[in-house]
Every structure is written in structure tokens, then in C-alpha cells.
Amino acid sequence: MTSPSHEPAGAGTSFRESSLPGHSPAVPPPGCPAHQGPRPAPLYGPGLDGDALPALYERLRAEHGPVAPVALAPGVHAWLVLGYRELLRVAREEQDFSHDPRRWNLLREGRVPADSPIMAFVGWRPALMFADGRQHRRMRAAVADALAEVNGHELRRMVRATAERLIDSFAARREADLVPHYAHKLPIQVIAQLLGVDERTGVQLAEAIAGTAAATADSADASRRMGQVLLALIQEKRRRPGDDVTSRLLAHPAGLSDEEVLHNIVVMIVAGNQTTKNWIATTLRILLTDPALRSSLTGGHLTVDDALDLVLWRFPPTQNFPARYAVRDLRFGGQDVRAGDMLVLGLAAANTDPEVLPDGGRPVTGNRAHMAFSAGPHTCPAQDPARLITRTAVDTVRHHLPDMELAVPEDRLVWASSPWTKGLAALPVRFTAPHAARHTAAGPHTATPHTPAGQGDHR
């Protein structure tokens, strides 16, 4: 699979630096990114879910232009990059926008509480997500090469087998909630297998990850448990390497330390699990609620990949991605950004930027210039296996439960509250007896040549 070109059809090449006029400025604290603009809009709170966020983006775009002041927590201010071209610049130009949170002016000035929820996302770790330049290239090479060695045929069979076990666990009830019973469980079980984790340890890892992501009083303990499980895995793979991602990271010529391997695995797990879960659930929702799309898919006019890309354009699993830090003072998107200011990548908002969308405001089928995987040197290195996992998960449940339908009216579906990711809180369905021809979905179990994930598996 080739990397998408990040310039959609109809997009020009000019870089817009101006913004729309704002209101009379409030007086924020000194050093705040909104030092010359209106009071930052809160990007936190229970009201920010999949229904409310699109309207917020458009309001901010109308008031401020492509870069808007926001608050990530009380007193914790940043810039939200809403413009497509502006986001491309932030993602591509490391000389102006660093990934290292130790540059963050609010953190250096001691103005971010140690227990602030934002620190779970932006606390520095020795991982590719927090590095620039040579150090980033070194760690990214190890991660990308380890993932490239994943056999696409084997991964597809692994996902199908996992999906079938999950379907078997609820099929007799003829009803299920596909978020907790399917979309939530499948990615982490597959990721654990790719890492070389045995089933018992995989359960422990899944529980620790769920506790870490819950952002409760127990999250710190869950995070420690996750670290302990992964450290034990790394020590075991040092002694007895296998054909798995962990062993490949340890053996890579980049020479990653155990600590670097651990934190890069954490990034892979946290980023891959949550986003793939949302991608699976949202794709299934669209197929269940859009008869025209479902008919086009059944009739062969559209492919599952077309549906997957529609989700990435309209409902990207990651809404907003922290963070970049300005290396110097600069005028950007009509705002005066100071050195050390945080910029949040508004992936979902950039996808709906009217400056680049075709006439009618809807992306063209087959166009993969969306921002769901970011852009530039830090484009997601796992997008090919993530697509294969999501496509296979969607295909498998559609094959085994062909008459599946929503168990509640569409307008009663609820999105989980989060300014960072967009995922359903529940997707209740009902169905009759599952399809019996399992071997048709799984395909013949014969030896196949090595095919890296994402290559040779387009439909």
C-alpha cells in the first residue's frame, strides 16, 4: 500500500495565513497562547462528544480562522489547528514545530499540575511520538521495519480467527453490543498476538490497558501493571526471541534500549487499540444505518475499503492529536504563536475544511488525502496493518451475521465523550442464527508466501 498524497482533489497550493476577525479580546493569563485573542474555548468536559464536536470546529473556524485558541483543561491553553493546509505545515515542518513536550512553555513554567489529565497524553517518554529529527528517524525505522515484517496473510487469518471466537461468544443470544463485545476486544487481542504475548498475559495486558485509558483514580496503578507486563515480555524476548514485533524491535540495528522498546510498544498499543476499535465500530454503524451504502457494497459498486475511507474522512477515530510545540515566535494561521506554545492537530476539523473539500462538501470515493493518519515524518507507521485488521473485522461479522440490524433507533446511539477520539459508546444489534459456512470467510488454510501487511490484499 502506498502512502496517500495529502493534497485532495481541488485543493490549491497557496498557504493561507490570514484569519477571520475575532471578538474583542479577553485578558488571559500572561504567557497564554490566547494572549492577543478571545478567551480560549474549552476542549474538555462531558458535553464534548461525537455529536457536539463538529459544530464546535465550525464555530471556532468562523470566529478565528484556521488556528483557534482552546483550553485543554482549566488554565491549560493551546492552539487548535483547524485548517487543512495549516495542519500539513505543522505536521511536516519540524524546524518550526517540535514533538518534544519538554519545550512546552506552560510545563517549563510549572503551570501544569502533575496530576492534570493532559499529562497522560503529552508527558515525555523515550518513544518515536515525542522525538524529532535523527532520534525520531532511528526509532521510527525500528517500529516501521518490525511492522513491515508482519505477514499480511497470517494477520488476516489471525483477525478472522479472533473475530469468529468473539462472534461465537454472543451468537447464541441473537443480540449483542458490538462495541464492548466485539470492536473493543478484537484489536487488543490481535495486537497482543503480534507482540508475541501468550493468552493469559494478553488478558492481563488488556485489563491494564483498559484501566489506564479509563482516566480514573486507578489509572496510575493500571499503567504500572501495563509497564510490568511489557517489561517481563521484553526480558523474555531478550532470552528467547520469536517471530513477533517485540523480538524484531529488540534485534533491530537501531539498537533500541529496553526502555525505548517498552515505550514504543506502549505508543503502538494505546494508539492502535483505541483508534482501530473506533474505526471498526463506526464503519459497522454506517453499514447498519445507510441503506444506499450497504446496497452499493453488496452490489459491488463500492468496496469495504471505500466504506473505511468514508469513515476516515467524516468520522476519523482520532479527532484531535496532541501535540506540537512552536520552536520560535511566528505568525501562523492569523495568530501570533510564541515559542513553546502547544499546537493540537485538529485532524477531524482539517478533513472538513471548506478550503479543500470538493464542491458539495463531500470527499470523493477513493480519495485518501484525509488527515486521519496525520502527515509528514510522523504519519502513522501502522496504518496498513490497522486497515487490514479493520477490514477483516468488518467483513467477518458481516459474513457471519448477514441479517444483523440495529436494536435501537439510530438517533438513540450515543458517542463516548472525549475531545481526542470519536467512538460509539454502544452499538446494540440483533440477528438470527449466525451463518454456518465459516470456512468460506476464513479461506483455505494453506501455506502462503510472505506478504507484508497492507500489500497484496486490496479488494
Side-chain angles (χ1 to χ4, degrees), residues 189-232:
Q189 291 186 17
V190 172
I191 291 170
Q193 294 177 70
L194 291 176
L195 293 173
V197 173
D198 60 51
E199 186 173 352
R200 182 179 66 85
T201 307
V203 171
Q204 296 174 343
L205 184 60
E207 292 174 348
I209 291 168
T212 302
T216 66
D218 297 326
S219 293
D221 183 60
S223 180
R224 283 192 292 271
R225 293 200 309 274
M226 179 173 64
Q228 290 169 353
V229 170
L230 292 177
L231 184 58

Side-chain angles (χ1 to χ4, degrees), residues 39-252:
R39 185 176 299 279
L43 201 63
Y44 61 91
L48 288 182
D49 60 16
D51 287 328
L53 284 168
L56 173 64
Y57 301 147
E58 295 317 304
R59 177 172 68 82
L60 292 176
R61 200 191 313 272
E63 292 179 359
H64 306 288
V67 178
V70 293
L72 307 181
V76 180
H77 303 129
W79 299 106
L80 179 62
V81 183
L82 305 159
Y84 186 98
R85 296 187 182 94
E86 287 75 16
L87 196 147
L88 274 181
R89 182 180 173 192
V90 170
R92 288 173 171 172
E93 298 183 6
E94 289 184 317
Q95 72 275 16
D96 286 336
F97 306 100
S98 171
H99 297 76
D100 192 335
R102 292 171 295 188
R103 290 180 177 270
W104 189 16
N105 50 19
L106 297 187
L107 190 63
R108 287 188 287 104
E109 294 164 6
R111 295 170 52 197
V112 183
D115 60 352
S116 172
I118 189 62
M119 292 307 298
F121 296 94
V122 302
W124 182 85
R125 302 171 185 85
L128 76 169
M129 187 173 154
F130 306 97
D132 299 316
R134 182 180 301 176
Q135 189 70 346
H136 168 255
R137 291 191 296 272
R138 170 177 161 268
M139 288 188 281
R140 183 184 174 89
V143 171
D145 290 348
L147 292 172
E149 287 299 311
V150 173
N151 185 299
H153 297 298
E154 294 296 334
L155 178 57
R156 188 183 300 110
R157 280 195 286 269
M158 182 189 301
V159 177
R160 282 177 174 155
T162 303
E164 287 167 350
R165 287 196 301 271
L166 294 173
I167 293 169
D168 284 345
S169 71
F170 58 71
R173 299 195 300 270
R174 301 191 178 186
E175 63 179 13
D177 185 338
L178 293 182
V179 172
H181 299 150
Y182 191 71
H184 178 70
K185 291 183 176 180
L186 187 147
I188 188 56
Q189 291 186 17
V190 172
I191 291 170
Q193 294 177 70
L194 291 176
L195 293 173
V197 173
D198 60 51
E199 186 173 352
R200 182 179 66 85
T201 307
V203 171
Q204 296 174 343
L205 184 60
E207 292 174 348
I209 291 168
T212 302
T216 66
D218 297 326
S219 293
D221 183 60
S223 180
R224 283 192 292 271
R225 293 200 309 274
M226 179 173 64
Q228 290 169 353
V229 170
L230 292 177
L231 184 58
L233 170 67
I234 289 168
Q235 292 170 344
E236 172 65 19
K237 295 301 178 181
R238 284 280 189 201
R239 292 191 297 268
R240 285 184 287 274
D243 184 17
D244 52 69
V245 171
T246 306
S247 298
R248 294 184 204 118
L249 286 174
L250 291 167
H252 195 273

Side-chain angles (χ1 to χ4, degrees), residues 51 281-294 314-315 405-415 424-430:
D51 287 328
T282 306
T283 303
L284 290 173
R285 179 188 73 86
I286 287 181
L287 294 178
L288 288 166
T289 59
D290 190 331
L293 179 65
R294 187 166 62 249
R314 296 173 57 190
F315 313 100
E405 61 181 17
L406 274 181
V408 299
E410 181 183 355
D411 60 7
R412 288 182 55 191
L413 293 176
V414 178
W415 296 96
L424 288 165
L427 186 62
V429 297
R430 55 178 172 248

